[in-house]
């Protein structure tokens, strides 16, 4: 991402001499941070100090965290939290603590913007979960490596922000010039989460990056080709939505199609309202041999195109998507923030709405400005 992120530093606990817990059980805190996989912090016989400085066993770099914020201790199989006189306090299951307070299994410790859930589980289960998290991290890195560099100059400027959810959704996007004046653009969202969804997104992105479809300049043909190639994805429960367009800068036209995806949004110079760019087609992998349709729109100099995944408006159930999208759309027309790229401004809106909790789905935001 093109933004400055807070840094979390975890120092491994001291060796466990004479640990009071049963040998086959693991005690740990799971730290959730927006845009990062959950981080596991094991608890041992030595108390874990949490604070803003590196001297702590768990360092949380936020102005809302005190230098020495709290102590988490495990003794006799019971975990207690003690506030160290922090400014903003320590909260256990929604209640600010005054003295040493027990943190029950499954309970949540909130410190400033951070949430840490206490888990007590068999060692074998912890090891299995850790292996799944490593797979998620690898899949996330693979997808991130395929994302394009922003276009900072030329006839069309392109920028993006991408914030994956802890379980890694199936977002993917990109663009490539078909020739000197035509730019192909795509945004896709695989149903479901996890390594399987991320790797499928990466496969589709590779196909589009390489132009391994029917005529890349024909959005309907591209979606039809993807649908034929990825029918197995639908059978595996991983159909995906896709928005694909071709910006013809010479003719000042945008040719686009969508499969199971909400609209892109276009603002023409001098216009006060955004125009939805939508074509009704089923998601990829659901219906064999579907006759995909496309549409066109004017794309003059000064036009702005914005695309985003459904994670931007909370990724609600299908029945609530229309209302959630309607609540997000007014932010497109909000005044710009000086020195803040538009994709970054919109991402901040999403993060503010999510609060301190983890994201429900990946968030992808793309902006295009025709010079």
């Amino acid at each position: 991402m093109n933004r400055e992120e807070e840094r979390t530093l975890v120092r491994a606990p001291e060796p466990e001499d004479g640990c009071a817990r049963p040998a086959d059980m693991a005690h740990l805190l799971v730290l959730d941070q927006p845009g990062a996989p959950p981080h596991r912090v094991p608890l041992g016989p030595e108390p874990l100090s949490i604070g803003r400085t590196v001297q702590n066993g768990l360092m949380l770099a936020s102005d809302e965290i005190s230098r020495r914020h709290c102590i988490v201790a495990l003794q006799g199989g019971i975990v207690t939290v003690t506030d160290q006189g922090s400014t903003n306090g320590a909260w256990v299951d929604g209640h600010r603590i005054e003295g040493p307070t027990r943190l029950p299994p499954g309970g949540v410790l909130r410190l400033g913007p951070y949430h840490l859930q206490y888990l007590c589980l068999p060692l074998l289960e912890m090891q299995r979960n850790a292996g799944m998290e490593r797979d998620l991290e690898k899949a996330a890195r693979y997808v991130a490596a395929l994302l394009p560099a922003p276009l900072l100059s030329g006839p069309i400027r392109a920028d993006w922000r991408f914030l994956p959810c802890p379980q890694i959704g199936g977002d993917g996007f990109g663009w490539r010039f078909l020739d000197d004046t035509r730019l192909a653009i795509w945004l896709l969202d695989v149903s479901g989460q996890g390594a399987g969804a991320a790797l499928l997104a990466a496969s589709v992105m590779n196909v589009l990056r390489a132009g391994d479809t029917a005529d890349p300049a024909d959005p309907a043909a591209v979606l039809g080709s993807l649908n034929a190639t990825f029918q197995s994805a639908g059978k595996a429960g991983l159909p995906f939505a896709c928005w694909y367009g071709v910006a013809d800068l010479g003719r000042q036209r945008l040719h686009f199609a969508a499969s199971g995806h909400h609209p892109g949004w276009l603002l023409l110079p001098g216009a006060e309202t955004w125009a939805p760019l939508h074509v009704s087609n089923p998601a990829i992998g659901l219906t064999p041999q579907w006759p995909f349709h496309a549409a066109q729109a004017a794309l003059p100099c000064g036009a702005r195109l914005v695309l985003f995944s459904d994670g931007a408006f909370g990724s609600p159930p299908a029945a609530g998507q229309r209302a959630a999208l309607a609540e997000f759309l007014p932010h497109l027309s909000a005044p710009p923030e000086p020195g803040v790229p538009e994709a970054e401004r919109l991402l901040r809106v999403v993060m503010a709405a999510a609060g301190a909790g983890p994201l429900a789905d990946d968030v992808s935001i793309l902006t295009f400005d025709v010079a």
Side-chain angles (χ1 to χ4, degrees), residues 139-140 142-148 160-165 168-175 184-192 194 196-209 223 226 239-245 259 261-262 307-311 361-366 368:
Y142 184 26
V143 171
L146 298 177
L147 299 180
W160 57 265
R161 295 294 185 275
F162 174 57
L163 191 59
C165 69
I168 311 301
D171 279 14
F173 58 85
W175 53 76
I185 302 164
W186 57 86
L187 170 63
L188 62 101
D189 187 355
V190 178
S191 176
L199 293 177
L200 175 57
S203 296
V204 179
M205 291 164 67
N206 278 325
V207 168
L208 293 172
R209 280 159 47 99
L223 295 186
L226 291 177
F240 60 91
C242 184
W243 194 100
Y244 185 94
S259 54
H261 203 282
H262 57 267
L307 305 174
F308 46 85
S309 62
D310 58 8
D361 198 359
D362 289 356
V363 177
S364 301
I365 300 174
L366 290 68
F368 301 86

Side-chain angles (χ1 to χ4, degrees), residues 8 46 102:
T8 299
E46 293 295 324
R102 182 178 179 182

Side-chain angles (χ1 to χ4, degrees), residues 77-357:
I78 295 176
V79 173
T80 58
V81 181
T82 304
D83 187 17
Q84 296 290 94
S86 65
T87 301
N88 295 311
W91 302 71
V92 170
D93 288 338
H95 301 283
R96 184 166 182 166
I97 64 175
E98 300 297 336
T101 302
R102 182 178 179 182
L103 181 62
V108 175
L109 169 62
R110 180 169 67 83
L111 306 173
Y114 300 95
H115 289 70
L116 299 101
Q117 184 176 29
Y118 165 47
L119 297 181
C120 177
L121 67 166
L123 279 171
L124 289 178
E125 183 178 344
M126 185 190 74
Q127 293 165 356
R128 182 170 60 250
N129 290 344
M132 294 174 62
E133 288 178 5
R134 286 193 294 271
D135 290 343
L136 285 176
E137 291 176 2
K138 291 178 182 177
R141 288 197 297 270
Y142 184 26
V143 171
L146 298 177
L147 299 180
L151 299 176
L152 304 178
S153 61
I156 186 168
R157 316 285 175 85
D159 194 15
W160 57 265
R161 295 294 185 275
F162 174 57
L163 191 59
C165 69
Q167 294 303 314
I168 311 301
D171 279 14
F173 58 85
W175 53 76
R176 73 184 186 97
F177 276 100
L178 304 180
D179 52 37
D180 290 341
T181 61
R182 293 183 300 171
L183 180 71
I185 302 164
W186 57 86
L187 170 63
L188 62 101
D189 187 355
V190 178
S191 176
Q193 296 179 337
L199 293 177
L200 175 57
S203 296
V204 179
M205 291 164 67
N206 278 325
V207 168
L208 293 172
R209 280 159 47 99
D212 292 337
T213 64
D215 186 359
D218 182 345
V222 169
L223 295 186
S225 181
L226 291 177
N227 192 51
T229 301
F230 291 100
Q231 274 295 303
S232 59
K235 296 177 182 178
L238 294 172
F240 60 91
C242 184
W243 194 100
Y244 185 94
V246 177
D248 189 331
L249 305 175
R251 297 182 178 180
Q252 296 190 328
R253 302 292 296 176
L254 177 65
H255 194 191
F256 63 93
S259 54
H261 203 282
H262 57 267
W265 296 88
L266 181 66
L267 184 66
L268 298 178
E272 296 183 356
T273 59
W274 291 75
L277 303 179
H278 183 253
V279 181
S280 182
N281 291 302
I284 301 297
L286 290 182
T287 307
Q289 300 179 340
W290 182 266
F292 287 89
H293 301 286
Q296 295 191 35
L299 191 69
C301 295
R304 167 171 286 176
L305 169 67
V306 176
L307 305 174
F308 46 85
S309 62
D310 58 8
F313 49 93
S315 190
Q321 281 196 347
R322 181 172 298 181
L325 177 60
E327 290 182 5
F328 179 74
L329 290 179
H331 294 292
L332 295 181
S333 301
E337 297 181 18
V340 178
E342 187 64 7
E344 174 67 20
R345 183 187 69 80
L346 292 173
L347 179 62
R348 293 180 183 181
V349 169
V350 174
M351 295 179 66

Side-chain angles (χ1 to χ4, degrees), residues 36-86:
H39 189 91
R40 296 173 179 266
V41 184
L43 299 174
E46 293 295 324
L48 174 70
S49 63
I50 303 177
R52 197 175 69 240
T53 62
V54 72
Q55 289 79 14
N56 294 279
L58 174 60
M59 175 183 153
L60 301 176
S62 169
D63 291 340
E64 298 181 47
I65 303 297
S66 298
R67 291 179 178 274
R68 288 182 55 82
H69 201 103
C70 70
I71 297 288
V72 179
L74 169 66
Q75 188 173 12
I78 295 176
V79 173
T80 58
V81 181
T82 304
D83 187 17
Q84 296 290 94
S86 65

